[in-house]
Amino acid sequence: MFSSIQTDIGDHKWRRLLDRFVKENQQELAALFWGLWLENGNSQGTIGIDLQPQPHFVYCPQSQIQQLNDRVENRLQEIIGIIDNNKPEIEVIMIGIGKGEIKLIQFAPEPAPQICFEQVGKDVDSLLELLEQKMSEKSFFNQN
């Protein structure tokens, strides 16, 4: 019964690739999350990874997430609840954006985000550049 299910059907392959990227770069993403939290708190919104036209980081303002939720008949209510109750000192929350869909990225790194930021030893701009470069590598999108 389950053997006929394919994980890469249609436009869902980006989700699996994003999950893999997050897993492989968890410490750097946690460091970036903490650095941006120190700079802005949640005043800019939730950090997002927009895969189009090429991967880059964006802010997703709370008002825009709420407007999207209204347009999709409150199907994002759980995501909004998770974002609203985020504890940045222990967990990372980001939004993946790709192919007309969004995906919640949530993980509790070991060590905590603050420690990741200290251990990585890079500023926010350097982390953004490093992670965007890694996402832009062709191998990220061409993996099976």
Side-chain angles (χ1 to χ4, degrees):
M1 172 166 107
F2 295 108
S3 63
S4 64
I5 298 173
Q6 296 180 5
T7 59
D8 292 336
I9 293 175
D11 293 335
H12 296 290
K13 184 175 182 180
W14 72 270
R15 292 171 177 267
R16 186 178 59 80
L17 293 174
L18 186 58
D19 285 341
R20 183 183 302 170
F21 177 78
V22 169
K23 185 176 181 180
E24 291 172 356
N25 296 280
Q26 205 172 83
Q27 188 170 22
E28 291 86 357
L29 288 166
L32 174 64
F33 175 81
W34 186 256
L36 290 170
W37 178 259
L38 289 176
E39 285 184 3
N40 302 308
N42 63 1
S43 66
Q44 301 291 317
T46 303
I47 189 76
I49 300 173
D50 188 352
L51 299 177
Q52 302 295 323
Q54 61 184 21
H56 61 284
F57 289 93
V58 296
Y59 272 111
C60 303
Q62 184 69 17
S63 63
Q64 295 295 317
I65 295 170
Q66 188 58 53
Q67 286 178 6
L68 178 59
N69 185 51
D70 293 343
R71 286 196 309 262
V72 297
E73 301 173 359
N74 292 321
R75 291 186 197 137
L76 303 180
Q77 205 59 42
E78 281 184 69
I79 290 174
I80 290 171
I82 291 168
I83 291 169
D84 288 346
N85 293 295
N86 176 242
K87 296 186 179 3
E89 61 280 354
I90 60 172
E91 69 180 348
V92 173
I93 299 286
M94 296 181 176
I95 296 175
I97 306 163
K99 306 210 180 198
E101 299 178 335
I102 66 169
K103 172 184 178 32
L104 182 68
I105 300 165
Q106 178 185 25
F107 62 93
E110 275 300 322
Q114 178 181 1
I115 305 301
C116 289
F117 185 72
E118 293 168 4
Q119 287 179 349
V120 168
K122 295 182 189 276
D123 63 29
V124 169
D125 291 335
S126 297
L127 285 165
L128 284 167
E129 186 178 318
L130 171 72
L131 289 165
E132 286 179 350
Q133 176 60 38
K134 284 184 175 186
M135 286 189 294
S136 294
E137 293 172 357
K138 289 186 181 199
S139 61
F140 174 70
F141 292 104
N142 293 330
Q143 293 176 7
N144 294 320

